[in-house]
Amino acid sequence: AKLAFDKGPWPRMSMQDRCTILHKVGDLILKNVETFAVAETIDTGKPISESREGDIPRSAQNFHFFADYALAMHDDCFTVNNNERHLAVREPMGVAGLITPWNLPLYLASWKIAPCLAMGNTCVLKPAEWTPHTANLLGAIVQEAGLPEGVFNVVNGFGAKAAGEALTTHKDVRSISFTGETSTGRAIMAAASASLKKVSFELGGKGANIIFDDADLAEAIPTAVRAAYRNQGEICLAGSRLFVQESIYAKVREELLKRVREIKVGNPLETSTQMGAIISSEQMEKVQSYIEIGKKDGKLLFGGERLKDLGEGNFLSPALISDIDNGSKVCQEEIFGPVLPIIPFKNEEDLLEMVNSTPYGLSCSVWTNDANRQHRMARDIK
């Protein structure tokens, strides 16, 4: 990657030529969508419908989007007076280390690779050790698209004490982009500081999904189910805490319970499957440990059981928990699994105190038809 940046044509090509190649990468992903979708589903356990209709097309879209966006980049010129003009020129940084998670492997990788390459950088991608398949398929695609040798590289391996740590400490890597668990992000920031690397993080989440009593429940409830259980709940932006105003709490809870019972858990390669397998036995044990806490701190309305009739795979029925205090670990810590606690609130003041009580900021959703409330919530939720 360093040699390709210092000596190769990629950083010296015109933006138009680079973006033409990146556009072709997106085209080739779409041309091979079924191959990529099956590989992603086998690697992750997610339903084939989500891979085929979501992850893979959106990965291609990332290459298309950033290829188009880069062409619209421009230099800034500041005229100070009649004798001075200052021109700000954007230059590629060099080698970027891209470290990606296992929940949306190709999708989140493409979100890093496409803008990195569009601006003339070279990269080393380290995919999660549990889900390396589509990253390696992408290697063949970028070659077919005409990317010069050494511009895009894939290194497989474990994070700590191996491939990931090597990237964060190597003097020739100028920037690190990481998506993953918060404690890992802290370790990467500390390691990268020694060589003053630029870092870009998307870390953990405990997204609050809020339903006020004036919301359109016909839209809010099914979306709340999808937000909590899509991809087996293994999404950093998942709506993993559901706050419902007291006056509609019972109604929403019953409708949620009905819909969660109807989620079909099964073979990820079958198109009728709505929820597949947990990524690994280790993650399965972690999720189940939180469900046990939920049973003690609240009421398990449904799910949380290993579905043994589906064989040895990590299949878990979606868990729905009520009557639980917001201070419970189930409501405070990132579970990364199909577990949804429902928490009632009285008013906005009561709600804000609970929503802002976790160390995670990442995402939030507010369901209300009151425009003034929308703005208040957007302002006051951290």
Side-chain angles (χ1 to χ4, degrees), residues 49-324:
S49 59
E50 292 182 13
S51 295
R52 187 184 288 137
E53 298 162 19
D55 293 35
I56 307 308
R58 291 192 70 174
S59 299
Q61 183 186 20
N62 281 339
F63 280 97
H64 289 155
F65 171 84
F66 285 108
D68 293 339
Y69 180 77
L71 287 173
M73 297 294 289
H74 62 274
D75 294 334
D76 295 321
C77 183
F78 305 91
T79 303
V80 180
N81 53 50
N82 291 337
N83 299 314
E84 291 182 61
R85 275 189 178 163
H86 298 264
L87 187 64
V89 180
R90 296 177 182 270
E91 299 177 344
M93 290 187 66
V95 179
L98 311 179
I99 304 173
T100 52
W102 45 257
N103 60 327
L104 303 166
L106 186 66
Y107 181 20
L108 292 183
S110 65
W111 229 340
K112 301 180 188 299
I113 298 163
C116 171
L117 297 186
M119 298 312 295
N121 300 283
T122 61
C123 72
V124 178
L125 171 69
K126 193 210 86 67
E129 54 267 24
W130 284 338
T131 53
H133 198 174
T134 48
N136 287 281
L137 290 177
L138 184 63
I141 290 289
V142 299
Q143 285 184 308
E144 185 179 347
L147 206 69
E149 184 178 352
V151 172
F152 172 75
N153 308 272
V154 180
V155 174
N156 291 297
F158 291 90
K161 308 298 181 186
E165 186 174 293
L167 283 175
T168 62
T169 57
H170 200 288
K171 63 181 178 61
D172 289 337
V173 176
R174 298 308 309 139
S175 64
I176 293 286
S177 179
F178 169 75
T179 299
E181 205 260 336
T182 303
S183 61
T184 306
R186 291 193 189 100
I188 290 174
M189 179 173 276
S193 66
S195 53
L196 297 177
K197 290 176 174 49
K198 178 181 179 180
V199 293
S200 172
F201 292 151
E202 184 198 349
L203 305 178
K206 193 65 179 176
N209 194 1
I210 302 160
I211 303 179
F212 283 94
D213 57 11
D214 65 335
D216 179 357
L217 298 185
E219 186 177 7
I221 293 174
T223 308
V225 172
R226 184 182 59 166
Y229 301 109
R230 182 179 175 86
N231 202 53
Q232 299 74 246
E234 296 166 343
I235 296 182
C236 45
L237 293 168
S240 53
R241 292 184 293 162
L242 183 61
F243 292 93
V244 181
Q245 199 154 19
E246 282 183 348
S247 57
I248 57 169
Y249 180 79
K251 179 180 180 181
V252 170
R253 181 186 58 198
E254 292 311 307
E255 182 61 27
L256 274 171
L257 179 57
K258 176 186 173 185
R259 288 178 177 272
V260 172
R261 287 180 184 275
E262 293 172 349
I263 294 174
K264 183 182 178 183
V265 183
N267 182 348
L269 289 172
E270 292 180 1
T271 55
S272 60
T273 293
Q274 296 172 301
M275 204 176 91
I278 304 296
I279 187 73
S280 67
S281 56
E282 296 97 320
Q283 184 65 15
M284 180 84 161
E285 290 172 9
K286 175 189 173 184
V287 173
Q288 288 180 304
S289 71
Y290 277 102
I291 292 170
E292 289 304 311
I293 294 172
K295 288 179 181 178
K296 294 175 184 176
D297 293 352
K299 180 180 180 181
L300 181 64
L301 295 176
F302 179 76
E305 299 292 329
R306 182 165 195 154
L307 301 176
K308 297 179 181 178
D309 58 324
L310 293 175
E312 296 299 314
N314 301 310
F315 294 98
L316 190 69
S317 56
L320 185 63
I321 298 171
S322 69
D323 303 315
I324 191 165

Side-chain angles (χ1 to χ4, degrees), residues 25-40:
V25 173
D27 293 343
L28 288 170
I29 290 173
L30 291 178
K31 182 180 177 182
N32 294 278
V33 66
E34 190 63 20
T35 299
F36 274 98
V38 171
E40 203 75 298

